[in-house]
Amino acid sequence: MSGPLACFTRPELKVERVSYPVMTPSAAVGVLEAIFWKPEMAYVITAIEVLKPIEWTQVRRNEVKSVVSATEVAALRKDPGRRYDVETDRDQRNSMLLRDVHYRIRAQILRAPHAADVPEQKYRDQLRRRVDKGACFAEPYLGCREFSAFFGPQTDAQPIGRDEDLGVMLHSIVYPASGGEQYRWFHAQLHQGVMSVPVAPLGADAVAMPVSSAWRADGSGMGR
């Protein structure tokens, strides 16, 4: 997996985007699912290997300032005459991006309960065939949709010799039956260019989460 630019945004610095130095497991899952996915399976990322030195670049981009809320989306659907004017909600922001990235993703395939009798190898072989052919359901990207990812079969490239404490990183997102999203985190560390991802994330009380975002398109959610 490689690309000229990447941005795996740190959640605590999302106004002025600053990338993690290494691809996050959630971004890796998105890349794999863009190549091959079925409802009967899920990817579990076990490690991400960094195959090129970590290099940074800075750009200034036009972005919208607000986040559209579910209430605003419902109002737009209800009233066809209602409009969102992006020109009045545009702002220039700096982004600290990674450049010339190259990773090797190590993952396991987890079968859904209703596909327990299907050999795991079947899905693994289908993924490998699609990687060999360069086929994908959607264009994979590196953190942001404008940063396209290139993928191919495994090479002999070796991880870089770098150790670094990367801090708290998003492990996965779960969607409980009661609705909403639950974010799970882990303590990310790079050892000789390899970031191992534990199966179990940190406990629910280990990371303090904001109650709501500071600004919403409909003016709500100003508190934390």
Side-chain angles (χ1 to χ4, degrees):
M1 184 68 50
S2 62
L5 291 171
C7 183
F8 310 109
T9 307
R10 301 190 72 104
E12 69 272 28
L13 302 171
K14 61 185 179 182
V15 175
E16 297 281 347
R17 293 179 185 272
V18 177
S19 176
Y20 280 107
V22 178
M23 173 185 251
T24 61
S26 56
V29 169
V31 167
L32 294 177
E33 289 184 346
I35 298 171
F36 175 70
W37 179 79
K38 284 180 176 292
E40 293 81 10
M41 54 170 283
Y43 293 104
V44 177
I45 305 300
T46 58
I48 295 175
E49 300 179 7
V50 183
L51 305 179
K52 278 192 173 181
I54 298 172
E55 298 183 359
W56 298 89
T57 189
Q58 180 174 305
V59 300
R60 180 177 285 267
R61 302 187 296 171
N62 290 327
E63 297 185 5
V64 294
K65 294 183 288 187
S66 61
V67 178
V68 178
S69 67
T71 304
E72 179 66 10
V73 172
L76 288 167
R77 288 177 174 171
K78 186 176 181 180
D79 181 7
R82 191 183 180 96
R83 292 288 184 270
Y84 167 66
D85 186 2
V86 68
E87 295 295 335
T88 61
D89 192 29
R90 181 171 289 172
D91 196 11
Q92 283 197 329
R93 295 176 177 170
N94 285 323
S95 296
M96 285 295 296
L97 312 177
L98 298 167
R99 65 182 179 91
D100 194 19
V101 299
H102 193 184
Y103 303 111
R104 181 182 296 124
I105 300 171
R106 297 196 177 277
Q108 292 182 345
I109 291 177
L110 184 66
R111 292 168 296 177
H114 63 275
D117 57 342
V118 179
E120 182 181 302
Q121 184 178 357
K122 172 184 175 181
Y123 301 123
R124 188 164 58 241
D125 291 344
Q126 289 182 69
L127 171 64
R128 285 175 174 163
R129 286 197 295 270
R130 292 183 67 83
V131 169
D132 291 342
K133 293 190 298 184
C136 57
F137 295 132
E139 184 176 12
Y141 56 90
L142 297 165
C144 297
R145 290 190 181 275
E146 59 266 46
F147 304 145
S148 299
F150 306 100
F151 60 92
Q154 179 172 306
T155 68
D156 296 330
Q158 296 299 309
I160 62 174
R162 176 165 173 165
D163 297 333
E164 185 174 347
D165 189 334
L166 305 176
V168 175
M169 182 179 287
L170 181 64
H171 180 280
S172 55
I173 303 174
V174 296
Y175 301 92
S178 57
E181 299 176 343
Q182 292 181 356
Y183 299 93
R184 306 194 301 177
W185 309 85
F186 75 108
H187 185 190
Q189 293 180 306
L190 195 67
H191 293 296
Q192 292 300 296
V194 179
M195 184 181 73
S196 298
V197 183
V199 175
L202 295 172
D205 299 331
V207 180
M209 294 289 294
V211 175
S212 64
S213 60
W215 202 94
R216 307 289 299 188
D218 60 357
S220 63
M222 296 299 292
R224 282 181 179 277

